[in-house]
Amino acid sequence: MDLRPLGTTGFQIAPIVFGGNVFGWTLDEKTSFSILDAFVDHGFNAIDTADVYSLWAPGNEGGESETIIGNWLKANPGKRDQVFIFTKVGWDLEKPGEKGLSERWIMEAAERSLKRLGVERIDLYFSHRADPETPYEETLGAFDKLLKAGKIRAIGASNLDASQLSSALDVAKTHNLPRYEVIQPEYNLYDRSSYDGALRDLCIKEKLGVVPYYSLASGFLSGKYRTQDDLSQSARGAGVGKYLNPRGLKILAALDAVAARHDAKQAEVALAWLIGREGVTAPIASATRREHIESFAKAVQLKLSAEDRAELDAASA
């Protein structure tokens, strides 16, 4: 599989990153291991998670996803050198003080993530969202300490807009601190407004790696949700209802047409569109069955024509 440079991190990653939010939520440990095995066997090499995954599932407290990944690595010692591990800090956990991007919490949360993952260092450590109460200088200073201690290899940011990212980059340059090298925005055929435009332009200008999340819009772009009745098909259905509107159905119609031309699935087309976008390194996508990993591999090989892209762009504009 062709690998892509992830910004200026020095990492070479496959064109799809696995989204680990399903571990400990819709997937138990045994099934998670099977999915991860298939993912690596197909030549993919980057896994994204967060300390807060999967807090929202009944009985969970956060960290379940990291723990499952750590157990998988422990059960498969040779796999650690085959994969890049991404995780995040900053989202609210259950206990007071377990949130934000203060130096105190970043240093503590990093140790917890390292322990759950069972690794000596995290390859890419993201701030999960902006923290208006903590200056960028403090946050980047904490990441600098982790980098110098060898506990992380590179840093990124999720959920920043263009203004926030620009400010963070300026602070890094002014104070000789490490800068965010990778951005994780929400971006897919439906949700384009928060990335297309100023943020995308800045990422391209600064040569940042970009790994978008919600690449399939919570599964909507797979085409399996077309009516309100379809929303009960899975645990993620509740988050899909907002897409069932004229624009969403127009996008599905375009996906149907392009998929038919290529004898492909709608999800494969949606991922191929993202993979081929300038300013995107590799979309993050989750899987709950081994067949989904096979679809990832097909999406990587799928070459959309100019006509295909124009049709998808027009429907999602």
Side-chain angles (χ1 to χ4, degrees):
M1 183 176 292
D2 291 336
L3 302 180
R4 298 176 162 197
L6 182 58
T8 57
T9 61
F11 303 167
Q12 297 283 328
I13 68 169
I16 292 178
V17 175
F18 193 93
N21 62 320
V22 292
F23 300 144
W25 175 28
T26 55
L27 295 184
D28 61 18
E29 182 166 284
K30 181 181 178 180
T31 308
S32 299
F33 281 21
S34 176
I35 296 294
L36 285 169
D37 287 341
F39 187 72
V40 174
D41 289 346
H42 276 79
F44 296 105
N45 68 345
I47 302 165
D48 177 79
T49 185
D51 59 359
V52 74
Y53 298 167
S54 300
L55 176 63
W56 53 86
N60 285 359
E61 58 183 24
E64 290 78 15
S65 175
E66 289 181 330
T67 298
I68 286 175
I69 293 168
N71 290 343
W72 174 73
L73 291 172
K74 184 178 180 180
N76 300 274
K79 293 289 200 304
R80 179 63 186 103
D81 294 332
Q82 294 180 251
V83 295
F84 293 101
I85 302 296
F86 306 167
T87 193
K88 312 180 197 71
V89 59
W91 210 273
D92 297 13
L93 295 178
E94 285 196 314
K95 297 178 182 177
E98 295 183 343
K99 65 177 182 178
L101 298 172
S102 67
E103 178 178 332
R104 177 203 61 79
W105 177 236
I106 287 174
M107 304 304 283
E108 182 178 343
E111 293 296 339
R112 294 187 189 186
S113 289
L114 286 164
K115 183 177 181 179
R116 285 189 291 260
L117 290 163
V119 297
E120 293 185 355
R121 62 179 178 174
I122 295 161
D123 296 306
L124 179 55
Y125 202 31
F126 284 93
S127 61
H128 205 156
R129 62 179 177 183
D131 176 5
E133 298 181 2
T134 304
Y136 291 119
E137 186 176 358
E138 179 180 344
T139 296
L140 296 176
F143 286 139
D144 189 35
K145 290 181 179 180
L146 291 172
L147 287 162
K148 288 175 177 174
K151 295 185 176 183
I152 62 176
R153 297 177 63 189
I155 61 172
S158 183
N159 297 301
L160 294 188
D161 61 27
S163 175
Q164 291 167 328
L165 175 58
S166 181
S167 295
L169 294 174
D170 287 345
V171 167
K173 184 175 182 180
T174 300
H175 296 278
N176 194 30
L177 291 168
R179 73 170 195 164
Y180 292 129
E181 299 290 355
V182 184
I183 300 302
Q184 190 175 132
E186 179 179 8
Y187 190 50
N188 55 60
L189 261 172
Y190 188 102
D191 300 297
R192 296 180 56 177
S193 60
S194 63
Y195 182 61
D196 276 342
L199 181 56
R200 179 169 173 259
D201 293 345
L202 180 59
C203 290
I204 292 171
K205 176 187 174 185
E206 296 292 337
K207 297 180 172 57
L208 302 182
V210 178
V211 288
Y213 69 89
Y214 282 173
S215 299
L216 294 175
S218 299
F220 173 72
L221 297 175
S222 70
K224 70 177 183 178
Y225 302 102
R226 295 174 185 264
T227 68
Q228 290 293 328
D229 290 340
D230 294 333
L231 301 182
S232 61
Q233 290 185 40
S234 75
R236 304 184 75 179
V240 179
K242 64 183 180 181
Y243 298 114
L244 290 175
N245 55 48
R247 178 169 174 264
L249 296 177
K250 185 178 180 182
I251 292 170
L252 288 186
L255 283 171
D256 290 343
V258 175
R261 288 200 288 270
H262 291 273
D263 190 23
K265 296 178 180 177
Q266 291 87 346
E268 293 163 6
V269 173
L271 289 172
W273 178 85
L274 270 176
I275 291 168
R277 291 284 288 173
E278 183 184 10
V280 171
T281 308
I284 298 169
S286 298
T288 54
R289 299 197 301 272
R290 292 176 72 95
E291 306 92 87
H292 294 159
I293 304 298
E294 294 170 10
S295 262
F296 290 176
K298 291 176 182 177
V300 169
Q301 299 300 322
L302 182 56
K303 304 301 180 186
L304 300 180
S305 68
E307 177 189 359
D308 296 331
R309 291 193 166 277
E311 185 169 356
L312 294 167
D313 288 344
S316 63

